[in-house]
Amino acid sequence: MDPLHPTRVLVTGGAGFLGSHLCERLVREGNDVICVDNFYTGSKSNIEPLLTASNFEFIRHDITFPLYLEIDQIYNLACPASPPRYQHDPIQTTKTSVHGAINMLGLAKRVNACILQASTSEVYGDPTIHPQTEDYWGNVNPIGLRSCYDEGKRCAETLFFDYHRQVDLSIKVARIFNTYGPRMDSDDGRVVSNFIVQALRGETITIYGNGSQTRSFCFVDDLVDGLIRLMNSPKEITGPINLGNPGEFTMLALAEVILELTQSRSTIEHRPLPSDDPTRRRPDISMAGKHLDWEPHVQLRQGLERTIAYFEKVLTKETR
Ligand code: NAD
Ligand code: UDP
């Protein structure tokens, strides 16, 4: 990077879990970073250490409204990712994905910036092929409780490719599979944070359904590395590209590893399975390997140990 002309990077949703890690790495690498967030699920504490950096700025803003900035790259991460949170206000979730994408694509077009969309494995819905490859069109319920997120993200992908075809905008679409790590919100309801917090507090571990559904969990540092590689890849690499860790685990197996690593005596309780909960999920990451020379390096146990250490600190602070 030219130190006299650092890349000006906008990160929407930059005060959230993934966004704050991304901002941290971009700031460390000398970019000029503007973080935009409305704190719907993110928090000031996630970005607090960055506020003193001269190459970091924060703007409180809702991306469903237009934004005018001069930038070179946009990472569009704004959108709640946890099912209870995105289902809390489903209309706003769709607006964030669709109106937010239109606003950010319009901004990218105006200043000729390259724009990356944080899409999701949810575009595959409850997949009928396994593992999921990027050419699979998915199996998504358009009118269910998860649809605001799944269909919102699918429509955002449509908009990205239409801007690319119609006005030759430089786009990158990452389909992110379940990612975890420090700074997940302790009560946003996602499985890794739920199980760790429950285990550390000695509360029952809540497994939805019989626990045989699977997910593939990627550690946040690996994921951030994949996003940055994708953003800086040649223009013809548009994606969609799967980013995730292909290690596949049942929720029962996940609970058992977490119980072992936390040495918790918590017991397991089964609760009803939420509607349209995908049965199996595992990314085929050969495209990311071929085009980005990317693969995840942090194994589940190692990543969980680092995440557990983070939550131990958070819970200790809460009880003081
Ligand atoms: P998160 O909820 O921690 O972060 C989302 C951030 O976006 C929050 O800071 C929130 O306040 C902000 N936001 C929401 N609506 C906004 C709006 N209208 N305007 C401005 N800011 C807004 O979630 P995350 O896990 O960090 O996910 C980040 C992105 O990655 C999301 O787009 C999500 O869909 C995608 N993704 C995440 C995962 C995962 O496992 N973490 C998997 C697939 C896709
Ligand atoms: N899950 C669970 N117990 C919890 C939270 C989630 O068994 O306390 C299950 C959930 O039903 C799903 C999986 O864990 O099958 C992953 O859920 P999460 O909300 O983390 O992400 P997503 O369903 O979007 O992949």
Side-chain angles (χ1 to χ4, degrees):
M1 189 188 309
D2 176 356
L4 293 177
H5 299 99
T7 311
R8 298 162 304 176
V9 188
L10 168 62
V11 179
T12 76
F17 160 53
L18 291 183
S20 61
H21 285 274
L22 177 63
C23 286
E24 195 177 292
R25 169 125 177 232
L26 293 169
V27 165
R28 198 166 62 230
E29 289 179 355
N31 299 279
D32 236 328
V33 178
I34 303 176
C35 164
V36 162
D37 205 292
N38 68 350
F39 293 132
Y40 181 66
T41 49
S43 68
K44 282 186 190 164
S45 60
N46 282 344
I47 49 166
E48 208 172 302
L50 294 173
L51 294 173
T52 51
S54 57
N55 57 339
F56 180 81
E57 281 168 79
F58 174 73
I59 302 172
R60 188 171 187 147
H61 175 79
D62 179 334
I63 63 154
T64 63
F65 297 97
L67 181 66
Y68 299 94
L69 293 167
E70 301 304 319
I71 29 87
D72 306 303
Q73 297 181 337
I74 304 173
Y75 289 86
N76 188 35
L77 270 62
C79 185
S82 119
R85 292 277 166 89
Y86 70 64
Q87 289 169 26
H88 174 72
D89 187 349
I91 297 171
Q92 174 67 12
T93 299
T94 301
K95 279 187 184 169
T96 294
S97 284
V98 179
H99 292 190
I102 291 170
N103 289 328
M104 292 307 109
L105 286 161
L107 170 61
K109 180 183 158 202
R110 188 175 72 79
V111 298
N112 198 23
C114 179
I115 179 165
L116 180 149
Q117 168 68 355
S119 191
T120 168
S121 51
E122 298 286 341
V123 300
Y124 301 125
D126 191 5
T128 54
I129 67 147
H130 195 77
Q132 290 80 56
T133 44
E134 290 86 347
D135 57 3
Y136 175 52
W137 291 354
N139 176 33
V140 177
N141 176 357
I143 57 165
L145 295 178
R146 293 176 84 99
S147 311
C148 57
Y149 185 76
D150 301 9
E151 296 290 18
K153 290 284 188 179
R154 284 168 68 94
C155 183
E157 285 200 10
T158 306
L159 285 161
F160 268 67
F161 278 87
D162 284 335
Y163 268 80
H164 177 62
R165 283 184 288 255
Q166 205 171 320
V167 299
D168 196 31
L169 191 69
S170 184
I171 62 153
K172 311 282 176 187
V173 175
R175 289 189 180 149
I176 303 170
F177 284 64
N178 297 61
T179 301
Y180 69 99
R183 281 196 221 127
M184 289 184 92
D185 183 344
S186 57
D187 56 18
D188 84 358
R190 284 186 262 189
V191 69
V192 173
S193 44
N194 263 14
F195 285 3
I196 292 179
V197 169
Q198 289 163 345
L200 291 175
R201 288 187 176 143
E203 294 168 355
T204 49
I205 306 281
T206 54
I207 291 192
Y208 302 159
N210 63 14
S212 64
Q213 70 271 38
T214 66
R215 294 291 185 274
S216 300
F217 298 102
C218 186
F219 190 67
V220 61
D221 293 357
D222 281 333
L223 197 276
V224 164
D225 186 52
L227 292 178
I228 292 176
R229 280 173 191 249
L230 177 57
M231 173 62 97
N232 296 293
S233 61
K235 184 169 175 181
E236 62 273 19
I237 309 294
T238 57
I241 286 195
N242 289 339
L243 293 179
N245 190 319
E248 185 183 356
F249 299 87
T250 64
M251 293 313 100
L252 210 49
L254 177 72
E256 278 160 9
V257 184
I258 290 175
L259 283 172
E260 183 201 322
L261 294 176
T262 51
Q263 297 180 314
S264 168
R265 290 200 193 155
S266 291
T267 52
I268 285 174
E269 175 195 330
H270 290 270
R271 298 233 180 122
L273 190 66
S275 69
D276 298 332
D277 199 288
T279 328
R280 295 182 79 187
R281 188 182 283 160
R282 172 152 66 98
D284 179 317
I285 56 165
S286 23
M287 282 258 266
K290 181 172 163 207
H291 295 302
L292 312 178
D293 190 23
W294 178 86
E295 62 174 2
H297 296 290
V298 182
Q299 297 308 312
L300 185 67
R301 275 177 171 271
Q302 198 189 349
L304 285 177
E305 279 168 7
R306 287 157 73 175
T307 313
I308 289 166
Y310 166 79
F311 279 113
E312 276 171 340
K313 274 196 211 142
V314 170
L315 298 187
T316 313
K317 263 193 211 153
E318 275 175 16
T319 51
R320 255 191 221 145

